[in-house]
C-alpha cells in the first residue's frame, strides 16, 4: 500500500480500574469491527500488556486526521466513552505518529537531515 502524506497512526494507552480489566478488554474489542468498517480506517487493533494485564493499547491507522477525528463522533465510540469512566483508571494517553519507514517519505516531508 502506498502511503499518502496525510496518513497517520494513533496509539492510545489505557489503564483499567482495579478488577475491571476484562470488562475494559471486552469494551475495547467491541470497537474493532465497527471501527474497521469506518471510512478511512486502515487498521484497528487492541492489545493487552503481557507485563501488566490492566494496561491496554489501541493501535490505529487512519487515512487522514479528519477520518480519525470523525471516528470520535461515531455512535460506537461515543457509547464506549460514556462507559469508560466506570472502566478506565485516569486519562487515556494518546500519541499520534506519522510513518517514516521510507526515506522518500522523510524527504517529502522535509525531515531529512
Amino acid at each position: 500500500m502506498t502511503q499518502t502524506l496525510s496518513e497517520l497512526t494513533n496509539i492510545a494507552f489505557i489503564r483499567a480500574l482495579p478488577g475491571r480489566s476484562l470488562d475494559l478488554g471486552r469494551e475495547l474489542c467491541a470497537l474493532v469491527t465497527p471501527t474497521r468498517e469506518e471510512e478511512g480506517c486502515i487498521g484497528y487493533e487492541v492489545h493487552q500488556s503481557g507485563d501488566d494485564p490492566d494496561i491496554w493499547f489501541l493501535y490505529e491507522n487512519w487515512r487522514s486526521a479528519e477520518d480519525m477525528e470523525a471516528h470520535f463522533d461515531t455512535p460506537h465510540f461515543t457509547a464506549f466513552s460514556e462507559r469508560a469512566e466506570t472502566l478506565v483508571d485516569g486519562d487515556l494517553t494518546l500519541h499520534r505518529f506519522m510513518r517514516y519507514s521510507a526515506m522518500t517519505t522523510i524527504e517529502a516531508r522535509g525531515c531529512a537531515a
Side-chain angles (χ1 to χ4, degrees), residues 70-82:
H71 163 68
F72 297 131
D73 293 326
T74 61
H76 51 274
F77 188 83
T78 301
F80 167 77
S81 296
E82 291 170 0

Side-chain angles (χ1 to χ4, degrees), residues 24-78:
L24 176 59
R26 285 183 182 129
E27 291 288 337
L28 292 172
C29 288
L31 293 172
V32 172
T33 298
T35 300
R36 287 179 179 169
E37 293 172 353
E38 290 178 44
E39 183 71 26
C41 180
I42 297 169
Y44 194 86
E45 300 289 334
V46 175
H47 300 263
Q48 183 181 30
S49 171
D51 299 320
D52 183 343
D54 287 339
I55 298 175
W56 295 80
F57 83 88
L58 300 173
Y59 181 79
E60 311 170 31
N61 288 296
W62 296 93
R63 181 181 58 194
S64 70
E66 294 80 15
D67 290 323
M68 188 184 74
E69 291 299 324
H71 163 68
F72 297 131
D73 293 326
T74 61
H76 51 274
F77 188 83
T78 301

Side-chain angles (χ1 to χ4, degrees), residues 1 14 17-18 30 38 50 55 59 66 68 71 77 88 99 101 105-106 108:
M1 170 183 243
I14 307 163
L17 285 167
E38 290 178 44
I55 298 175
Y59 181 79
E66 294 80 15
M68 188 184 74
H71 163 68
F77 188 83
V88 176
R99 184 173 48 182
S101 299
T105 302
I106 292 171

